[in-house]
Amino acid sequence: LIMGEVFFLILIGLIWIAFASIQDLRNREVSNWISFSLIVFALGFRFFFSLFNGQWAFFIQGVIGLGIFLLVGNFLYYGKMFAGGDAKLMIAMGPLLGFSNVFLVNMKIYFTFIIFFLFSGAVYGFLSMVFFSLRNFKAFRKDYGKRLKKGKKFVRTIASIGLVLMIIGFFEPVFFGVGVLLFVFPYFYIYARSVDNVCMVKKIKVGLLTEGDWLYQRIKIGKKFLEPNWQGLSKIEISLIKKHYKEIKIKQGIPFIPVFLIAFLILIYLWKTGLWNAFW
C-alpha cells in the first residue's frame, strides 16, 4: 500500500514532470523554475510533514536524496550526456524519490529509477532517431550515403572483426553477441551522426534564440569566431549574434524529458504493486 505522504509526493511528481515533458516537446527546453520549484515543494512538504508528525527521517531522507542526485545530475551534465535542463530535473528527482524513511531502501529506489531511466532512454532515443530520419528522409539518405562512402574503411574493418567473432561464436557462444554488436556498430554510428547533423539542424531568426541554444557551426563575430559549446549560448553571446546576423543555424537535441516520466511511471507501478520487492 502507498502511504498518504508518499502518494502526495508521487502526485506532485507526476504533475511537475508531465508539465516539463509537454514544455520540452513543444519548445525543446525546460524552464528552470519547474525543477527548482519541484525541489522546494518536495522538501517543503517533507519538512512540514515531519514537523507535525515528528518523523524527521522523512525530511532527512529528502535532503540526502537531493545530495545524491545533485552528484548524479552534475556527473551527467559535465560528462556531456545531459543538457542543463535535463540535469536540473534529475537533481529535482532526489527529494522526490525517497519514499522510505530507511536510507538503504531509498538507495534501492534511486538505483531502480536510474536503471529504468537508462533503459527507457535508450529505447526512446533510438525510436526518436528513427522518427527524425523518416521525417527528413531525403536529406538523411543523401548524408548517410556520403558518410557511409567516406567511412567505408572504418565500416569494413569493424564489421569484419564482428563477422569473425560471429563465426568463432558458433564454437564459443560468448563471442557471438559481441560479434553482432561490432558488426552493426559502424552502421548505427554513422546513422546517428547523420540524424544529428542533418535532421536536428534548424535555421531560425536570431530574435528567437534563447539561452542554452546550441550553435550548429562556428560563426564569425567581428574579427573573432564564436565556437559551438556544450553549455549552449549565453545571453551575452546571443546579444552579439543579434548585432551581426538575422538568421543562424542551431542544433536541436531530442526532447528527453519524457524519459523521466516513463521511468517514474514504471517505478510507481513497481512500488504500488509490490513487484519492486520481487525485483530486488
Side-chain angles (χ1 to χ4, degrees):
L1 296 177
I2 295 180
M3 301 172 289
E5 62 272 22
V6 174
F7 175 80
F8 188 75
L9 283 175
I10 289 173
L11 182 62
I12 63 172
L14 285 174
I15 294 172
W16 258 255
I17 300 171
F19 188 82
S21 299
I22 294 170
Q23 189 182 57
D24 193 31
L25 289 169
R26 293 181 61 183
N27 305 321
R28 300 294 179 91
E29 63 177 348
V30 179
S31 300
N32 288 336
W33 69 262
I34 294 178
S35 299
F36 295 149
S37 63
L38 180 56
I39 294 173
V40 172
F41 208 95
L43 285 181
F45 170 72
R46 286 177 178 274
F47 175 80
F48 285 107
F49 179 87
S50 299
L51 182 65
F52 290 112
N53 290 273
Q55 299 181 22
W56 286 103
F58 187 64
F59 174 70
I60 293 171
Q61 290 302 318
V63 175
I64 293 174
L66 176 61
I68 291 172
F69 276 78
L70 183 64
L71 294 174
V72 173
N74 277 283
F75 171 77
L76 293 171
Y77 176 71
Y78 288 106
K80 296 185 178 181
M81 291 175 276
F82 264 16
D86 301 325
K88 289 167 187 171
L89 187 59
M90 179 61 81
I91 293 170
M93 297 302 295
L96 189 69
L97 291 177
F99 297 156
S100 173
N101 289 340
V102 180
F103 174 71
L104 290 179
V105 174
N106 284 331
M107 287 299 294
K108 292 179 181 179
I109 295 173
Y110 301 152
F111 185 74
T112 303
F113 173 78
I114 292 173
I115 288 296
F116 281 105
F117 178 85
L118 295 174
F119 176 78
S120 302
V123 176
Y124 176 86
F126 175 73
L127 293 177
S128 296
M129 285 197 300
V130 172
F131 170 77
F132 286 116
S133 64
L134 292 176
R135 193 178 70 171
N136 304 273
F137 186 69
K138 288 184 178 180
F140 164 77
R141 183 177 63 179
K142 184 178 179 180
D143 186 81
Y144 182 75
K146 287 182 179 179
R147 290 178 182 274
L148 197 60
K149 186 176 180 180
K150 186 177 180 180
K152 59 183 179 182
K153 289 185 178 180
F154 164 73
V155 173
R156 287 175 181 174
T157 301
I158 302 299
S160 297
I161 295 172
L163 188 60
V164 170
L165 289 176
M166 288 167 63
I167 294 173
I168 296 174
F170 286 107
F171 305 97
E172 292 290 340
V174 70
F175 289 102
F176 189 81
V178 178
V180 172
L181 290 176
L182 277 178
F183 185 82
V184 301
F185 171 75
Y187 298 99
F188 181 77
Y189 175 76
I190 293 174
Y191 179 90
R193 288 293 302 274
S194 289
V195 171
D196 188 47
N197 286 278
V198 175
C199 305
M200 308 306 293
V201 176
K202 182 180 180 181
K203 181 181 285 187
I204 66 170
K205 295 181 179 179
V206 294
L208 299 177
L209 286 173
T210 58
E211 189 176 7
D213 281 341
W214 294 334
L215 278 178
Y216 170 61
Q217 55 194 6
R218 73 173 188 170
I219 57 176
K220 192 173 183 179
I221 303 292
K223 296 181 179 180
K224 297 182 179 180
F225 286 95
L226 185 60
E227 301 285 346
N229 188 292
W230 174 256
Q231 294 179 332
L233 294 170
S234 65
K235 290 181 179 179
I236 295 175
E237 290 170 336
I238 292 173
S239 298
L240 291 173
I241 291 171
K242 288 180 178 179
K243 294 177 181 179
H244 294 82
Y245 293 89
K246 292 183 178 179
E247 291 182 333
I248 64 168
K249 289 182 178 180
I250 63 169
K251 184 182 290 186
Q252 296 180 312
I254 295 173
F256 207 70
I257 298 299
V259 177
F260 284 87
L261 185 59
I262 295 169
F264 192 53
L265 287 171
I266 293 174
L267 181 66
I268 293 169
Y269 176 76
L270 293 175
W271 180 265
K272 185 176 184 302
T273 58
L275 291 174
W276 180 82
N277 293 317
F279 179 76
W280 281 100

